[in-house]
Amino acid sequence: MSGENEVEMHEEEPVEEVDDSDDSEESEDDDDVDTGDEDEETPENQRQAYIPGLSRPLKKGEELDFDPSAYKVFHSFNSDWPCLSFDVVKDGLGDNRTQFPAECYIVSGTQADKPRDNEIIVMGLKNLSTMRKQKENKGDDSDTSEDESDDEDEEQSKKREPKMHAVSIPHYGGINRIRADRLGDSTVCACWSDQGRVQVWNITDALNYSHGMSGESKTEVQKIDRPLFTNNGSGKEGYGLAWSPLKTGDLATGDIIKKIYLWQMKEGGQWAVGANPLTGHKKSVEDLAWSPTETGLLTSCSADGSIKLWDTRATPKDACVYTVQKAHESDVNVISWNRHENLIVSGGDDGELKIWSLKTIQYGQPVAVFKYHNGPITSVEWHPDETTTFMASGEDDQTTIWDIATEADGQTNIEGVPPQLMFVHMGQKEVKEVHWHPQIPGLAVNTSIDGFNVFKTINI
């Protein structure tokens, strides 16, 4: 990707379907299915929310209606090549930001057809406005002519257009996973390449350049001679990648040949990678997560169906604290550690989401199991501020938001839908990763084979 204006951004896209269980009456009115009968409209009190996997399949010519009232913010954008992994970059614009239009920064890695066509993309997403309110009907007595009104609408739409100011860094090889971290005054990202190596890149200059860009959406190429650090390891690719939130510069990586390597940052932008990896998984290490409260505590999940907890302060042969052998029926794809409670959420190929407590995980029993997705889970992440809320995505093209504290209510429950399911976001294909913004409460970002969505729902 080079040159300008190669990234498309859209303020709103009428392709999403939402089931908002906190506002079920409104959802039932608005999230209806077009029956294709123009002569006879379904009465509002008979319209129902479309629930994937439970409602009947759409007939030929039918489309799902998008309910803009279910979102506070919704924007979409895409790049030349799919970015199947990304991370939200913590910026210097302040915490707990609630004012819109908003601005945020992410870093992503591409999966191009040829290794040499890949890139790290640092994206500044700017002028992220809230959803526009429905136009009021002024009637025949309005003093504003239709032409003047159209001109006014066009001018307002132009002002509200989101902008993406991106900086592209050439990268040889597709990027399986990318994670950003702040090291002193610098921002870096670690990239797991399909070429079998992990590299750490300094993206500080790219972020600063993106922040200073103005005008229309555009992408500019920045040539960086080499990464800060490269580790070729075993030469096999991997997916597990996690920066420690408690010990600056500590990194854990997990590969497809069952090994977990621990990195420690040294002076001069270098890392010491442990010669003896953590071993014990019988298949590929799929994901890693550090404890946000206890230094050195690490959890891993694997295609062997297990979840392991490690104390990295011990020697590698003694580091495994305990193992949940059959955490899921098959591959355990993703895990996330709650920032406020000793809870871990996992997602597997079985489509299940499971909540594990460190108080009882040694017994191999989750404290909660949620079955809604109709395909393997591809990503999970706890909300950074709301203790009981997490987000998930699956190969069924759905992004879901959950609140584990919600209890069943017989009057409002929908058969086949867990009461803890708060929101369903649709309209994308092959959703691969989801993240909350740590500084803008409730702002969610996801990536799929056909682009990114940035959204904030009315109930989060």
Side-chain angles (χ1 to χ4, degrees):
M1 180 192 300
S2 60
E4 297 189 355
N5 299 320
E6 293 187 349
V7 177
E8 297 180 6
M9 289 193 71
H10 312 279
E11 181 178 359
E12 46 188 272
E13 190 127 336
V15 293
E16 308 298 334
E17 165 58 21
V18 177
D19 173 33
D20 182 353
S21 58
D22 269 5
D23 202 0
S24 57
E25 198 169 288
E26 180 180 343
S27 179
E28 287 182 2
D29 288 343
D30 295 328
D31 290 29
D32 58 294
V33 174
D34 181 1
T35 62
D37 189 347
E38 298 180 359
D39 296 326
E40 185 176 346
E41 187 175 342
T42 304
E44 288 192 7
N45 61 1
Q46 295 181 22
R47 296 180 183 178
Q48 295 182 346
Y50 183 86
I51 304 172
L54 297 177
S55 301
R56 64 166 175 78
L58 295 180
K59 296 179 181 178
K60 186 176 180 180
E62 288 184 334
E63 294 181 353
L64 294 175
D65 277 349
F66 167 70
D67 182 9
S69 67
Y71 293 86
K72 290 181 180 177
V73 176
F74 175 59
H75 301 284
S76 63
F77 60 96
N78 53 55
S79 54
D80 283 351
W81 297 106
C83 297
L84 304 187
S85 183
F86 76 99
D87 204 3
V88 178
V89 178
K90 193 165 185 180
D91 55 49
L93 301 177
D95 295 331
N96 199 32
R97 306 200 299 265
T98 58
Q99 298 297 314
F100 290 89
E103 179 177 340
C104 68
Y105 293 83
I106 66 175
V107 60
S108 63
T110 63
Q111 286 276 344
D113 286 345
K114 298 177 181 177
R116 66 173 179 269
D117 292 336
N118 284 287
E119 54 199 354
I120 299 167
I121 309 176
V122 175
M123 307 177 181
L125 310 179
K126 306 173 184 180
N127 201 36
L128 301 177
S129 303
T130 54
M131 298 292 290
R132 286 178 293 190
K133 292 182 179 178
Q134 293 295 321
K135 233 170 135 181
E136 294 182 7
N137 185 6
K138 296 182 178 179
D140 295 335
D141 295 333
S142 173
D143 294 331
T144 307
S145 71
E146 189 174 330
D147 289 342
E148 287 175 341
S149 179
D150 289 345
D151 290 342
E152 195 175 300
D153 287 348
E154 188 174 339
E155 184 179 339
Q156 287 298 318
S157 294
K158 191 71 175 173
K159 287 181 180 178
R160 294 174 60 88
E161 282 182 0
K163 301 290 188 293
M164 187 176 102
H165 296 142
V167 176
S168 166
I169 302 169
H171 180 278
Y172 189 85
I175 296 174
N176 294 341
R177 194 153 290 170
I178 187 168
R179 293 292 179 262
D181 196 20
R182 185 89 177 189
L183 305 181
D185 294 330
S186 299
T187 300
V188 301
C189 68
C191 301
W192 238 131
S193 167
D194 62 9
Q195 301 298 303
R197 58 177 173 261
V198 179
Q199 295 179 319
V200 178
W201 297 78
N202 188 338
I203 58 171
T204 307
D205 289 344
L207 281 166
N208 291 336
Y209 191 86
S210 172
H211 180 65
M213 292 168 70
S214 60
E216 296 302 313
S217 296
K218 55 190 171 185
T219 298
E220 298 191 5
V221 177
Q222 181 184 62
K223 299 278 187 181
I224 296 181
D225 290 339
R226 61 181 64 88
L228 280 176
F229 187 82
T230 298
N231 178 46
N232 291 309
S234 63
K236 300 294 184 180
E237 64 181 319
Y239 297 90
L241 187 65
W243 291 102
S244 169
L246 299 179
K247 195 170 179 184
T248 302
D250 274 17
L251 180 70
T253 62
D255 59 31
I256 62 172
I257 57 172
K258 308 170 283 188
K259 296 177 180 178
I260 298 170
Y261 287 91
L262 303 176
W263 301 35
Q264 288 187 321
M265 187 174 69
K266 303 298 180 181
E267 293 183 2
Q270 296 297 301
W271 276 262
V273 182
N276 298 314
L278 304 179
T279 59
H281 282 299
K282 297 178 176 62
K283 292 184 179 179
S284 169
V285 177
E286 297 295 291
D287 202 6
L288 298 166
W290 291 93
S291 167
T293 57
E294 188 170 345
T295 302
L297 212 54
L298 177 73
T299 185
S300 61
C301 65
S302 168
D304 64 12
S306 73
I307 293 174
K308 289 181 178 290
L309 188 69
W310 310 84
D311 186 348
T312 63
R313 295 164 294 189
T315 60
K317 67 183 181 63
D318 299 320
C320 187
V321 178
Y322 42 73
T323 301
V324 182
Q325 291 292 358
K326 286 195 67 176
H328 287 257
E329 290 300 317
S330 54
D331 299 23
V332 188
N333 298 326
V334 285
I335 48 176
S336 176
W337 205 313
N338 193 301
R339 295 189 187 185
H340 307 281
E341 301 286 345
N342 279 324
L343 296 174
I344 294 168
V345 58
S346 65
D349 266 1
D350 53 12
E352 292 186 342
L353 296 159
K354 296 187 178 184
I355 311 298
W356 307 87
S357 170
L358 257 61
K359 297 176 182 178
T360 57
I361 194 171
Q362 65 267 32
Y363 304 117
Q365 293 297 321
V367 295
V369 179
F370 303 118
K371 178 62 176 175
Y372 170 77
H373 283 274
N374 296 313
I377 304 299
T378 58
S379 185
V380 290
E381 185 169 280
W382 287 102
H383 194 289
D385 303 309
E386 301 291 337
T387 306
T388 59
T389 301
F390 71 90
M391 180 164 48
S393 62
E395 288 188 10
D396 55 359
D397 303 335
Q398 299 184 65
T399 298
T400 54
I401 298 175
W402 302 75
D403 184 351
I404 63 173
T406 303
E407 297 181 358
D409 182 348
Q411 294 182 344
T412 60
N413 284 353
I414 301 174
E415 187 178 353
V417 178
Q420 294 79 14
L421 178 60
M422 305 300 292
F423 202 92
V424 178
H425 176 82
M426 294 183 66
Q428 297 165 282
K429 295 179 180 178
E430 297 184 39
V431 184
K432 295 298 183 182
E433 209 165 272
V434 298
H435 294 294
W436 298 101
H437 197 290
Q439 297 167 284
I440 305 177
L443 190 70
V445 188
N446 70 6
T447 186
S448 67
I449 201 75
D450 51 6
F452 291 82
N453 279 181
V454 181
F455 60 94
K456 177 178 170 65
T457 69
I458 60 172
N459 61 341
I460 302 295

